[in-house]
Amino acid sequence: MAEPLLEARGLRKAFGAVQACDDVELEVAAGELRAVIGPNGAGKTTLISLLAGELAPDAGAIRFQGQDVTAMPAPARAQAGLARSYQITSLFPRFTALQNAVLAVQAKGGHAFRFWRPAMREAELREPALAALARVGLAERADVPVAALAHGEQRQLEIALALATRPKLVLLDEPTAGMSREETQEMVRLLEGLKGELTIVLIEHDMDAVFALAERITVLVYGRPIATGTPTEIRADRAVRAAYLGEETG
Amino acid sequence: MSLLLVLEQLLNGLQFGVMLFLIAAGLTLVLGIMNLVNLAHGSLYMVGAFVCAWVSLQTGSFLLGLLAALPATALVGIAVELLVLRRLYARDHLDQVLATFGLILFFNEGVKIVFGARPLRLDLPEWLSGSVELLPGVPYPAFRLAIIAVGLLVGLFLFWLVARTRLGMLIRAGASNREMVQALGVDIAQLYTLVFGLGAVLAALGGVMAGPIYAVEVGMGEPMLIMVFVVIVIGGIGSIRGAFVGALLVGMTFMLCRAFLPGLFGLFLDPAGAAAVGGALASMAIYILMAAVLIARPRGLFPAHG
Amino acid sequence: MTRSDLVALIGLAGFALFPALAWAGGVLWAVDLASRMLIYGLAALALNLVLGYGGLVSFGHAAFVGAGAYVVAILSFHSMMGGSILGYGGTESGFVAFALAILVSGLLALAIGTLSLKTSGLYFIMITLAFAQMIYYLFISLPDYGGEDGLSLWARSDFGPLDIGDDVVFFYLCLVLVLLFALLKRRLVASRFGWTLMGLRDNERRMCALGTPSFRYRLAAFTLSGAVAGLAGALLANQTEFVSPAFLSWHLSGELLVIVILGGMGTLYGPLAGAVAFLLLEFALKEVTEHWQLALGPILILVVLYARRGLWGLVEGRKDG
Ligand SMILES: Nc1ncnc2c1ncn2[C@@H]1O[C@H](COP(=O)(O)OP(=O)(O)OP(=O)(O)O)[C@@H](O)[C@H]1O
Ligand SMILES: [Mg+2]
């Protein structure tokens, strides 16, 4: 079998007394859409931050594309093709949607020691940025300042920034957080479109979306992965039903 | 150089250190709890020194000067908190720096108008101006010993206050969770004013101690303030323990370098030149110390929280 | 061309005519004040690059201004008195002295920036202040160069046929340099580098997650800013024909911050407006009372509390980043 694109071995992270990640093992194959679910406070966001390099693990190792990236700082991981989005929208609020996307494209461009040419007029930045906006359905809103975008649109832009870095793998932290039903459905359609093009690790609370999209699901409880499998397997798993759905075992 | 000389300089360092600590303690509390940079803290130190010197001159009593300086400075501090600083808690650090920079200009000029532009003399009463024989043949100025004793006592008091009392608990809780403390029904605004007043009293005490040793003059607060910043950076923002350790480190470094660097430079400079250079280099030494600490611990020796 | 460019252009054109107006009005001495405004404006433009666009509160820019000033003065000193520094003799040549001032201040900024930019927020403010203070004490400790008393220039720097000993010529030199840097900065902040700085200012965490390491860009901006502040220092030494440790004092660092805020932080030309306003205010208050700082202090507090967007905010009407 081919080596997984992303691999975590024995990842641990504690905040004081809280063990947010407890011996997490994760293997994500290239092209897969993997959902990670779990109750509030299960450590999902912490796991993403560890994988993206924003937090340093207390123990364990992370490999990406067969390379050990455990000690690699976040910017370098992004350069290597590992992008993330945030559960709590994290944009550049003073700028327009397009300017946000251009920032993301140029971040991937290697270095920004270019001091003379106006960045916003560079076709090699604008075009991929516009494409990323179009991808998430924001083409019409390119010149609107972030502050004037609706919440749902800001969530779309959140994804656009991650896509604009042309990643091999995206870590999406609850893309539908705070969205209305319609907005959620639109987001699910977007993710369906991305599936196959990119490897995706998706954190999601909306179970309909998870079961519709994911090939495999990992269930995290108190920082521990208690089960991994296809949607059907997960539905049937006793431990999951017990821990996650709050049912009695036996 | 003799061992006794080193001992004397160590004591000088300790004395200077506890003085720095008095000023740093108030500043670091305000920084840690209210997240407020108050450049005018040095002005409170100056006000304390001036009030003490003026009252001593009028009454001939150092003690009366001290007793007047502490409450007077506390009042000035509380007035400043109520009128200006209160509006700055929610602002960013830059706004705080600029507004309190304005306060410094105001205080320097104000003190000049009230007390005159000439430096004031602060004479010690007889019972403090002598010296005490620490070891046979090793006299040490009584006033400096008094500073060390008072400084250490105040230090102990602050540790006790922060670690053991209800006020200290509120202070610590307020530092990490403003809303929580408020939800418990504590008047945060009042708490802040109180802490600020306490900081002002400590600064004034520092000023009173500095008066007889250094000149009581307009602008005396700023060099002190910047040194105290170094103390806080070394110790870690918001930590009383850090302020204490940082202050002693800075005080010792400064005094030892000032005493012994000129001798070192005297080897290849003329004595007058060496003395001038030594003083300035001693000042530089504490910044080099700070840089070294920062390289090893970017958030200071005792990072308070977060 | 934006509205902001237009207003700046009109302002600078007005400035360019100033010597003629001053001559006609019989107040030629005011040209000197105008030069000083330009010099402070240049230093404030430089500070604004890190403060307004980089979001870094440097409380130590006087170190770079002062270092630039001292380079000019020390070279002039050795050229007159003989002797040498690091094996080189002095010079009166403005070309050499100004280039060295830029270089020395830039290197100093590189060194201070390397240490300070490891920290952020409050620590950064206090550390830049402390390092500037260290440079201040360094120059006090050099009795050969006047120690606490400072050093007088024998004459203004020698720019060949351009006699900047003449106040009007000197004024135009300042004006041209300010104009050049304003244009450079205008290009710079719109370039990839400028956008990266602004991105880091607004959301460092996201910039890192997108693949941008923060340290190197901030250091580059800090170094450039320090170098230009050094140029302003070289001009300042020539304007006053005297340098002293006061040029390195925290007071000047504070004034530069005030000027940037007064004019409008993160705006292209605000710092220039701020410099003009600040020096005018200082001049006017000094005319009224010797205790002018008693009024200046509270005015600063009021500006911070109630006019935070600065003068240029009035011109722009809205925030443009
Ligand atoms: N920076 C931090 N400091 C202290 N504790 C933290 C920090 N980040 C997370 N935690 C704690 O770690 C645990 C896991 O948090 P995390 O945000 O990873 O959960 P989550 O699964 O993403 O939850 P949610 O579904 O609410 O987003 C929680 O108990 C949280 O309080
Ligand atoms: Mg989460």
Side-chain angles (χ1 to χ4, degrees), chain A residues 45 87 173-174:
Chain A
T45 298
Q87 179 176 359
D173 196 351
E174 292 198 38

Side-chain angles (χ1 to χ4, degrees), chain A residues 136-230:
Chain A
V136 301
L138 281 178
E140 310 283 295
R141 309 285 280 160
D143 293 318
V144 179
V146 165
L149 291 176
H151 174 77
E153 291 174 323
Q154 295 191 358
R155 294 303 296 165
Q156 289 167 301
L157 184 55
E158 180 66 41
I159 308 293
L161 292 197
L163 296 182
T165 64
R166 271 181 267 183
K168 300 196 178 66
L169 186 155
V170 276
L171 307 160
L172 301 178
D173 196 351
E174 292 198 38
T176 64
M179 280 187 160
S180 70
R181 274 189 71 84
E182 281 107 77
E183 287 171 332
T184 304
Q185 279 165 4
E186 209 172 301
M187 181 61 76
V188 170
R189 270 195 294 282
L190 167 63
L191 296 179
E192 240 154 17
L194 290 174
K195 200 170 143 180
E197 231 174 90
L198 279 175
T199 311
I200 299 175
V201 174
L202 172 69
I203 289 179
E204 195 41 81
H205 270 310
D206 185 323
M207 285 307 135
D208 291 339
V210 169
F211 284 98
L213 286 167
E215 276 136 8
R216 284 150 65 78
I217 299 173
T218 295
V219 184
L220 214 58
V221 175
Y222 292 123
R224 272 180 176 279
I226 58 164
T228 294
T230 62

Side-chain angles (χ1 to χ4, degrees), chain B residues 93-128:
Chain B
H93 291 141
L94 176 61
D95 284 4
Q96 298 170 352
V97 164
L98 291 170
T100 54
F101 177 66
L103 279 177
I104 292 186
L105 299 183
F106 175 80
F107 272 113
N108 278 347
E109 206 60 49
V111 163
K112 210 183 273 179
I113 292 172
V114 175
F115 297 103
R118 295 237 302 274
L120 292 186
R121 269 187 50 176
L122 182 48
D123 286 326
L124 283 174
E126 227 161 83
W127 54 274
L128 273 177

